[in-house]
Amino acid sequence: MQFWIIQGLNSLSLGGLLFLLASGFSLIFGLMRLANLTHGAFFMLGTYFGATAMRANSDLSIWTVAVSAGVAVAAIGGLFERLVLTRLKTNPLGQVLVTLGMSFIISDACLALWGGDSIPVPTPQNLQAPTRLFGFVFPTYRLVLVGCAITAAITLYLLLERTRLGAMIRAGVDDAQMARAVGIPVANLFTIVFCLGAGIAGAGGVLGGPILSAYPGLDADMLPLALIVVILGGIGSLLGAFIGSFIVGFIYTFGTALFPELAYIILFLPMILVLALRPQGLLGRLGA
Amino acid sequence: MNSAEPTCALEISHLRKSFGGLVATHDVSLTIRPGERRLIIGPNGAGKTTLFNQITGDLQSTAGQIRLFGVDVTHLTPYRRAHLGLARTYQIITLFDRDTLEHNVTLGLLGLRPSRWQMWRPLSYYGDLSTEARRILDAVGLLHLADSLVSDLAYGEKRRVELAMALAQKPRVLLLDEPLAGLSNAERATVKALIAAIPRETAVVMIEHDMDTALDLAETVTLLNYGRVIVDGERDAVVADPKTREVYLGV
Amino acid sequence: MKWIAAVLFAAMLVLLPSVAGDFYVNLASQILIAAIFALSLNLLVGFGGMTSLGHASFLGVAAYISALLTSRYGFAHGPAAIVSIAGTTAMAAVFGVIALRASGLGFLMITLALSQVLWGLAYRMSNVTNGDNGIAGLTRPMPFGISLDSAASFYWFALAVASVSFLMMTTFVSSAFGSSLKGVRDQPRRMAALGFNPWMIRWITFIYAGFWGGVSGLLYVYYNKYIHPTSLSTTSSAEALLGVIAGGSGTLSGPAVGAALVLLLKNYASAYVERWNMLLGLVFLFIVLVMPTGIVPGLSKLLNLRRGSR
């Protein structure tokens, strides 16, 4: 019983991390029609920033670190979007290719700066004590991660549905040309959303550090999971990304625990099923 | 099914297409005889092009049935319908810009031939395709441009290539979506003559706003409005019908 | 003129081992392998408009099947090669069905996800694939009893295979089917209305490209006598894609030129710096921003301009 509960919680916490990764990816895709292949690298960059900061000073609160790393990664993303992506407005394939190039640059830079060995990230001290609930023992940090993902989801939802910025983003997602015609500054919106997506990924990377640790190839491990999440959930749908993240979190965690060698293949199955039955994804709209 | 020629080339019954809450075509029923010349008219947004897209299979119908020479094609893919003798042109010119006129028409010919799957021989091996493509270009008066790129053509010439590609298929039912749109008077006369010369083996269904030219070509007329058939019948009867005046003049 | 140039070029290729040392002959073999791989990817990217970021799947899987069959299950090279190519082609058929549910960026994401899954599998199924250690100590085949262990003999073998593959892919592109493929790339709706089956055309092309990707994978494992999960990585797919785009996607010889340039760059750069991935990334940015149509179309445009001005 303890096995199932612990693995269940592990699934939820991985799902939460995936949501932090995939929600930004999905948002960027929905608005900019851009498959941002740098997204895994943004996440990894966050993890390395977090690992460095928290190992250097164990008194730092993980929240402070996550926010500052998020801002730093958002700034890098913003520069990239302004300096490179905007030059390729009419070349969607070129945009994808430069995001791929950028991901190579970031991951190789990480390798050069932090070396080839895995860097473990300590769990914050105040979250190390296990939580006892209904007679079971839970690792507190993983519970907190699930809470973070839910908070992020609600915040993003409110941002999109209840604010002026959100209304402009939704208009852009529906029809960028029309949005431009009615005077919405779509170019600025692109930069904001790209920064936002990169920032969430960076902060997610910090929060993922204590359970994943920082290592070369983390980006290549995370990106396909995010891709599968958005293929499952439907590209450009926030709720789809939320549901897809937890589905992938569960399948991957239980797959790894029960059939360690086949976990990757098991990930295929829901993706194939969804593509066969609903190619637009669980909650995607056709043509999106 | 008996071996005699079916009496209907195209038979549409209770066809409907809705996009979410918006209904584009509403219980449309039509019958086109083999070789018939039919004009479809109606204000913008009446559902004319949607109807064409349903007939060709570019849009799946929400309800209703489409029969082509007695065969139920309602759920067939567009390319299967093409093999049953259906061809079309597009209101917005849809050609292969970076290829020559001859190549464009050749694709029209190739589409219905088994040799389209051949991957071990160069296309130029099939000399008859080239001969046939040039013959068709000659028929629409564009032989002298056979080796030019489509992107170098004038708009009116592109319209004629649209027509040539469809005619290359020797269709039994040909759908023309505004074949005269955007043409000058002289070009109109040319294209009108080309349409008039289409052999009688082909039933022609045409959407057109230019009544002066199009009515001359039509035997029968269907008036659509808000996705419904308002009037349907012989040309003169439809023109004289008070409902036609009502739709067009708002009287 | 063109004929003379072609004959001279062919003679140069055949005679290369008698004028160049082993180092350059080996480099030339690697270029030939990369060229076959890039040409097969170009069928998808350039002629089919299907940008795949998972083409390394076919190279890697063909190489792994051959490596496993010959080193572990005692297969002779002939049967192992047949099983390897057949298996890779069958996998392409399955991957094609999955990836072609989407188009454009969706297609790209699915191919990337599928290949990443294979890469992860090669790493983690270490009792089969030997994981990060890779499979070493492999042998080269001996077609008609001729040993391919010398640099020159392997080069000629690779040259023969590359010539056949170039000829077949060129014919494929200029065939009736190739015309259909280009038509479906440019105007899929129109092609369907003309009686072509766009899905089937794309799927067959995907399988054909997978087949040649598998052939290049076999040569790859014969050449290296070693196979490692990196052959399945995104980097491996991306190198080929960079070759295709740098050389000029949708041209016949461009991808071969591009693949050669990427390989030379990789060889020379790695002699001086360890940072190949960073360099690869920078070259990607440079090519896409500065010469998005590729080197070969750019050069031929330049040549035409000069001819025109005479």
Side-chain angles (χ1 to χ4, degrees):
Chain A
M1 193 60 191
Q2 182 76 21
F3 167 83
W4 294 100
I5 289 178
I6 289 296
Q7 292 300 336
L9 183 59
N10 287 350
S11 310
L12 285 174
S13 54
L14 178 63
L17 281 181
L18 285 177
F19 175 73
L20 295 178
L21 184 65
S23 56
F25 184 95
S26 192
L27 209 59
I28 291 171
F29 197 111
L31 182 68
M32 301 169 69
R33 297 284 181 273
L34 165 71
N36 177 30
L37 302 181
T38 320
H39 225 68
F42 286 154
F43 184 90
M44 178 170 77
L45 208 51
T47 313
Y48 272 113
F49 283 163
T52 311
M54 286 189 288
R55 287 169 71 90
N57 182 353
S58 56
D59 290 339
L60 277 176
S61 145
I62 194 166
W63 309 114
T64 320
V65 176
V67 170
S68 2
V71 170
V73 174
I76 293 171
L79 276 178
F80 175 60
E81 201 273 336
R82 274 280 134 141
L83 295 179
V84 179
L85 289 179
T86 46
R87 285 168 202 267
L88 298 168
K89 261 180 252 158
T90 54
N91 181 1
L93 177 61
Q95 285 191 329
V96 183
L97 296 178
V98 294
T99 65
L100 181 68
M102 189 67 187
S103 80
F104 287 153
I105 295 172
I106 293 180
S107 69
D108 210 35
C110 286
L111 186 63
L113 287 171
W114 284 286
D117 295 324
S118 166
I119 303 173
V121 183
T123 306
Q125 272 162 3
N126 53 343
L127 299 174
Q128 276 173 359
T131 303
R132 287 175 195 281
L133 266 179
F134 313 114
F136 293 101
V137 181
F138 296 100
T140 308
Y141 187 69
R142 290 185 183 259
L143 286 175
V144 170
L145 270 185
V146 181
C148 284
I150 294 171
T151 314
I154 294 171
T155 314
L156 276 176
Y157 173 81
L158 291 177
L159 174 78
L160 284 176
E161 299 293 328
R162 296 290 158 81
T163 65
R164 201 178 138 70
L165 176 66
M168 291 198 287
I169 293 175
R170 276 182 289 129
V173 170
D174 282 342
D175 189 340
Q177 259 183 342
M178 185 56 85
R180 216 170 266 128
V182 299
I184 293 175
V186 174
N188 291 337
L189 218 52
F190 277 19
T191 312
I192 292 170
V193 164
F194 198 84
C195 287
L196 183 67
I200 303 171
V206 174
L207 297 177
I211 60 172
L212 298 168
S213 57
Y215 60 93
L218 175 61
D219 55 339
D221 279 339
M222 293 306 278
L223 184 64
L225 295 182
L227 292 179
I228 293 175
V229 165
V230 293
I231 292 168
L232 275 182
I235 290 160
S237 156
L238 192 64
L239 186 61
F242 192 74
I243 295 172
S245 297
F246 287 103
I247 294 177
V248 171
F250 267 92
I251 292 172
Y252 190 66
T253 308
F254 278 98
T256 317
L258 298 173
F259 319 97
E261 292 181 339
L262 298 178
Y264 258 79
I265 293 210
I266 296 170
L267 268 182
F268 262 124
L269 300 177
M271 186 174 111
I272 291 168
L273 212 65
V274 164
L275 283 172
L277 302 175
R278 259 186 88 83
Q280 72 271 39
L282 291 175
L283 292 163
R285 284 165 303 175
L286 268 178
Chain B
M1 205 164 66
N2 59 26
S3 57
E5 183 73 3
T7 49
C8 293
L10 182 65
E11 202 179 350
I12 295 168
S13 42
H14 308 294
L15 207 59
R16 177 187 172 90
K17 178 70 197 178
S18 53
F19 301 95
L22 184 81
V23 181
T25 55
H26 221 295
D27 197 32
V28 173
S29 298
L30 282 179
T31 358
I32 314 276
R33 284 173 282 110
E36 189 176 328
R37 300 297 189 249
R38 170 78 57 117
L39 174 65
I40 296 185
I41 57 174
N44 283 325
K48 304 185 295 289
T49 297
T50 302
L51 178 64
F52 266 24
N53 285 333
Q54 285 178 273
I55 297 172
T56 58
D58 285 322
L59 288 176
Q60 274 297 318
S61 300
T62 313
Q65 198 189 39
I66 306 164
R67 296 173 83 85
L68 204 57
F69 294 95
V71 182
D72 183 355
V73 300
T74 318
H75 301 291
L76 293 188
T77 51
Y79 76 90
R80 300 272 304 275
R81 301 184 199 202
H83 285 267
L84 291 171
L86 183 69
R88 75 171 296 179
T89 66
Y90 292 87
Q91 180 190 350
I92 299 164
I93 287 173
T94 309
L95 296 170
F96 302 91
D97 271 348
R98 289 181 285 175
D99 292 312
T100 63
L101 269 66
E102 184 188 317
H103 190 80
N104 271 262
V105 178
T106 302
L107 283 176
L109 294 167
L110 206 54
L112 301 181
R113 298 191 187 195
S115 49
R116 69 184 181 283
W117 298 111
Q118 174 59 251
M119 48 181 84
W120 318 117
R121 281 188 199 127
L123 180 60
S124 51
Y125 172 89
Y126 298 95
D128 57 321
L129 279 175
S130 166
T131 315
E132 179 69 6
R134 285 175 172 266
R135 195 189 60 72
I136 295 158
L137 281 171
D138 197 18
V140 298
L142 292 173
L143 182 59
H144 60 292
L145 294 171
D147 297 319
S148 311
L149 297 182
V150 169
S151 55
D152 294 337
L153 294 190
Y155 183 82
E157 291 162 339
K158 289 185 187 176
R159 278 257 165 252
R160 279 190 271 163
V161 181
E162 276 273 335
L163 199 59
M165 269 176 104
L167 290 176
Q169 305 210 301
K170 297 202 173 65
R172 293 193 292 171
V173 174
L174 174 59
L175 309 180
L176 300 175
D177 197 346
E178 299 199 31
L180 304 169
L183 297 186
S184 70
N185 281 335
E187 289 164 340
R188 262 160 213 267
T190 316
V191 173
K192 181 182 175 185
L194 290 175
I195 295 173
I198 293 173
R200 276 288 161 172
E201 290 82 63
T202 304
V204 178
V205 185
M206 176 165 63
I207 297 173
E208 189 47 66
H209 284 295
D210 174 8
M211 298 289 194
D212 292 338
T213 314
L215 280 177
D216 288 348
L217 294 166
E219 299 159 352
T220 47
V221 177
T222 301
L223 170 63
L224 284 183
N225 198 17
Y226 295 114
R228 292 174 194 275
V229 176
I230 306 294
V231 197
D232 185 30
E234 295 303 315
R235 175 184 63 191
D236 296 340
V238 174
V239 172
D241 196 294
K243 281 181 277 186
T244 309
R245 290 176 56 83
E246 194 182 312
V247 168
Y248 272 90
L249 303 172
V251 183
Chain C
M1 266 312 279
K2 264 195 173 168
W3 273 106
I4 299 170
V7 170
L8 278 178
F9 183 65
M12 206 178 78
L13 283 178
V14 173
L15 296 176
L16 181 85
S18 51
V19 291
D22 275 3
F23 175 80
Y24 291 100
V25 173
N26 278 332
L27 199 58
S29 297
Q30 287 176 277
I31 289 177
L32 289 173
I33 297 166
I36 301 175
F37 187 51
L39 286 169
S40 70
L41 177 59
N42 188 37
L43 295 180
L44 294 177
V45 178
F47 295 104
M50 299 173 267
T51 307
S52 162
L53 258 180
H55 207 53
S57 306
F58 308 117
L59 181 142
V61 165
Y64 263 105
I65 294 179
S66 162
L68 286 171
L69 289 180
T70 55
S71 73
R72 189 163 303 183
Y73 299 101
F75 272 60
H77 270 291
I82 293 170
V83 174
S84 153
I85 296 296
T88 308
T89 311
M91 185 183 81
V94 176
F95 277 21
V97 171
I98 301 170
L100 288 172
R101 293 294 291 181
S103 59
L105 291 177
F107 175 85
L108 181 142
M109 284 162 55
I110 296 171
T111 52
L112 177 59
L114 289 173
S115 80
Q116 287 285 82
V117 167
L118 287 180
W119 171 77
L121 212 59
Y123 255 110
R124 267 154 229 192
M125 264 176 90
S126 43
N127 58 343
V128 178
T129 63
N130 223 9
D132 197 19
N133 295 320
I135 302 171
L138 302 171
T139 56
R140 287 178 185 173
M142 296 189 34
F144 311 108
I146 305 163
S147 162
L148 298 181
D149 281 327
S150 78
S153 61
F154 187 84
Y155 169 80
W156 280 318
F157 175 68
L159 183 62
V161 177
S163 308
V164 171
S165 80
F166 187 71
L167 204 69
M168 286 194 64
M169 285 194 253
T170 307
T171 316
F172 178 86
V173 166
S174 59
S175 70
F177 187 88
S179 298
S180 321
L181 178 66
K182 285 177 270 182
V184 167
R185 170 194 67 192
D186 294 338
Q187 301 281 7
R189 252 183 86 197
R190 161 66 93 174
M191 289 299 279
L194 291 176
F196 296 90
N197 181 346
W199 188 90
M200 188 62 79
I201 289 169
R202 292 192 182 113
W203 188 56
I204 289 174
T205 307
F206 195 91
I207 297 171
Y208 195 62
F211 168 83
W212 286 113
V215 170
S216 69
L218 267 190
L219 286 179
Y220 179 88
V221 74
Y222 292 160
Y223 175 82
N224 289 302
K225 299 188 241 180
Y226 172 70
I227 185 74
H228 184 267
T230 43
S231 65
L232 283 161
S233 68
T234 314
T235 311
S236 171
S237 293
E239 279 168 16
L241 187 59
L242 180 62
V244 169
I245 289 167
S249 67
T251 63
L252 284 171
S253 54
V257 175
L261 288 177
V262 171
L263 200 98
L264 290 173
L265 184 70
K266 187 177 180 174
N267 266 275
Y268 282 102
S270 57
Y272 300 103
V273 283
E274 275 177 48
R275 306 257 73 91
W276 166 239
N277 269 342
M278 183 167 304
L279 191 64
L280 183 66
L282 289 170
V283 175
F284 250 103
L285 258 63
F286 174 80
I287 292 285
V288 173
L289 288 170
V290 178
M291 47 172 79
T293 56
I295 296 162
V296 168
L299 280 181
S300 58
K301 203 185 251 173
L302 211 68
L303 280 176
N304 281 340
L305 276 182
R306 280 185 52 196
R307 264 186 214 144
S309 65
R310 269 181 212 166

